[in-house]
Amino acid sequence: MGKKILIVDDAAFMRMMIKDILSKNGYDVVGEAQDGAQAVEKYKELSPDLVTMDITMPEMDGITALKEIKKMSGEAKIIMCSAMGQQAMVIDAIQAGAKDFIVKPFQADRVLEAISKALD
Ligand SMILES: [Mg+2]
């Protein structure tokens, strides 16, 4: 069985892209969430091995969701998905316990490298 991944992004297209990369490489995408509040709920429900977390989302942004999840589970492994110009938010996320970050548009190699390192 592959490692369980939860994908969080408000854009269905982005979720689809990551899901495609991960399922082709032996990971088990167990759930998807489209905002931070949903991400926290799904994390509780699914206990994934790793979460890919978008930063800019409605309801609750990815940084807040990261902090909420880390409060529940200090061991949670979360990789942030950032866009250009979000360096300050990425630093904030790393300080709050994010394992790594990947930058849009996603490159499959970089996504897989970040995830396998974070799960190591
Ligand atoms: Mg977004």
Side-chain angles (χ1 to χ4, degrees), residues 9-11 54 56-57 104:
D9 201 302
D10 59 329
D54 184 26
T56 311
M57 294 183 291
K104 298 172 191 177

Side-chain angles (χ1 to χ4, degrees), residues 79 100-102 109-119:
I79 287 180
D100 203 346
F101 65 98
I102 48 180
D109 288 1
R110 173 71 191 120
V111 172
L112 294 168
E113 183 201 331
I115 288 175
S116 73
K117 241 199 251 169
L119 285 169

Side-chain angles (χ1 to χ4, degrees), residues 2-59:
K3 294 280 186 183
K4 296 188 291 175
I5 315 284
L6 170 64
I7 296 174
V8 184
D9 201 302
D10 59 329
F13 175 72
M14 285 295 172
R15 296 198 303 273
M16 198 186 76
M17 280 193 41
I18 301 186
K19 188 175 182 173
D20 186 55
I21 294 169
L22 296 184
S23 21
K24 279 182 182 154
N25 286 276
Y27 292 101
D28 188 10
V29 177
V30 289
E32 296 179 31
Q34 54 189 7
D35 62 56
Q38 244 185 40
V40 175
E41 286 311 306
K42 295 257 174 175
Y43 188 89
K44 277 188 225 172
E45 183 191 322
L46 303 166
S47 306
D49 296 301
L50 184 135
V51 182
T52 68
M53 180 77 78
D54 184 26
I55 293 182
T56 311
M57 294 183 291
E59 305 300 331

